[in-house]
Amino acid sequence: MIKSYGFRFPDSYPELMLIETIGHETITDAAYDWEGRTRQTTGYLFQYTLAGSGWLEVEGQLFEVKKNQAFVVEIPGPHRYYYDPRAGEPWEVIWVRLRGGQMASIWDSLHKRGPVLQLNADAEPIAAWRRLFHDTIKGKLNDPYVQSVRIYEWLLTILRLSRQGHEASRRPDGLPPYGASIAYMREKYGRTINLEELAAVEHLSKSHYCKAFHRALGLSPFDYLNRVRVEEAAELLGGSDLTVTQIAAATGFDTTSYFGKVFKRYVGMTPLQYREGQHDWNVDRLKLV
């Protein structure tokens, strides 16, 4: 069974992101030892551990790369990754090595959050890698432009998770993490909501809920709630005759002045400026992301 593939296109596509190699390997031999400074090839490597463990050395720092961990390195570069048979079990990995002029800034962003990344086995970057590998086998990535789009989509799944700083898996019901408390916020945004009741909706302690929510979504529960309130306030500003004070009260803000500060922070203008149309957004609904 073929477990790895390489791509070589007859023409040069320096503006595209392309696959050099992609594959799945079980390593049992100490001969698996790659010194990044002496390699003759160039590119960017993502390697993920399915089972066992290996070692990554980067600029004098040593990392054990365990199950559900990936590393990212640029080739050539000041790194070494290798397998130590004393681990007692094989190192099973999947990988993709990429090239292209657009890769440098993306890889730099990834490496700043690495070089070792924690990714659950059912996390979207791993699912997306499997789709890349499957479509490589089926011959669906032979067009360099199609391949480049797919690589970019895959890279964005990693950037999204690493930027949010969480290790969340996809929920089987397709809902976002902490969907119950999010739904609660969207239903009850017009009144005072405290952390205790949000945590209770998720059946967690207040402390655990706050930390877990931030890890999963990249912002605090109150930041999320304020975004919901500002979205609703923007709709009322554009589609009702309520005063700014009435809208502040209707969307759960304690005072008009606090409402104004929060609205300006998220939208970039005061509620009154938004109502007067001091923007060029021809939209029916404002979404804060």
Side-chain angles (χ1 to χ4, degrees):
M1 176 183 175
I2 297 174
K3 291 189 176 182
S4 63
Y5 295 81
F7 285 90
R8 294 295 181 272
F9 292 101
D11 298 319
S12 175
Y13 298 92
E15 72 280 11
L16 301 183
M17 293 181 285
L18 298 172
I19 296 173
E20 284 276 343
T21 63
I22 185 170
H24 177 189
E25 184 175 5
T26 300
I27 303 153
T28 59
D29 194 327
Y32 187 89
D33 190 334
W34 297 93
E35 170 54 66
R37 294 177 181 84
T38 60
R39 297 181 70 173
Q40 301 302 308
T41 57
T42 62
Y44 303 86
L45 175 70
F46 169 92
Q47 184 163 301
Y48 178 77
T49 300
L50 297 174
S53 66
W55 295 91
L56 171 69
E57 185 178 333
V58 180
E59 297 180 337
Q61 286 187 286
L62 189 62
F63 304 87
E64 185 176 12
V65 187
K66 302 176 182 179
K67 180 179 179 180
N68 294 343
Q69 291 183 327
F71 68 82
V72 292
V73 293
E74 183 177 357
I75 301 170
H79 65 265
R80 174 190 173 210
Y81 56 96
Y82 60 94
Y83 173 68
D84 186 343
R86 290 176 296 179
E89 62 176 314
W91 188 18
E92 184 182 1
V93 302
I94 57 176
W95 84 88
V96 60
R97 185 155 58 89
L98 307 169
R99 62 182 172 88
Q102 304 302 316
M103 287 294 304
S105 61
I106 296 175
W107 214 254
D108 183 60
S109 180
L110 279 178
H111 200 270
K112 285 177 180 176
R113 297 174 173 88
V116 176
L117 307 172
Q118 185 77 29
L119 294 168
N120 292 339
D122 61 350
E124 180 55 25
I126 306 308
W129 181 94
R130 294 186 187 282
R131 292 192 293 270
L132 278 177
F133 191 56
H134 176 268
D135 288 348
T136 294
I137 295 170
K138 296 298 182 181
K140 295 181 179 181
L141 299 183
N142 293 341
D143 182 309
Y145 292 94
V146 171
Q147 187 180 119
S148 190
V149 169
R150 292 289 303 281
I151 291 168
Y152 188 65
E153 291 175 343
W154 172 71
L155 286 168
L156 289 182
T157 66
I158 306 175
L159 281 172
R160 180 171 181 263
L161 279 185
S162 61
R163 181 163 185 170
Q164 290 176 341
H166 68 83
E167 305 153 15
S169 302
R170 295 171 298 158
R171 285 176 45 147
D173 56 11
L175 293 174
Y178 305 100
S181 56
I182 286 172
Y184 188 87
M185 291 182 214
R186 291 193 172 277
E187 180 184 355
K188 310 288 188 182
Y189 66 86
R191 67 167 180 77
T192 299
I193 298 175
N194 59 47
L195 282 173
E196 286 81 359
E197 59 189 293
L198 290 175
V201 169
E202 299 289 358
H203 307 289
L204 297 171
S205 71
K206 183 174 70 172
S207 175
H208 186 158
Y209 171 70
C210 288
K211 292 176 182 177
F213 190 99
H214 193 280
R215 281 200 307 271
L217 296 169
L219 69 168
S220 73
F222 277 141
D223 282 337
Y224 192 98
L225 177 58
N226 276 339
R227 292 182 188 211
V228 171
R229 286 171 166 164
V230 168
E231 287 177 358
E232 297 298 332
E235 185 163 3
L236 291 173
L237 287 165
S240 79
D241 295 326
L242 295 174
T243 68
V244 170
T245 298
Q246 289 171 326
I247 290 171
T251 52
F253 289 97
D254 292 335
T255 66
T256 305
S257 62
Y258 180 62
F259 167 53
K261 289 178 183 177
V262 173
F263 193 94
K264 187 171 184 178
R265 184 169 77 232
Y266 287 118
V267 183
M269 65 186 70
T270 67
L272 189 57
Q273 287 171 332
Y274 186 86
R275 167 164 273 176
E276 291 173 348
Q278 295 183 30
H279 56 80
D280 58 0
W281 312 325
N282 184 22
V283 297
D284 295 320
R285 176 80 179 183
L286 181 67
K287 295 293 291 181
L288 298 175
V289 295

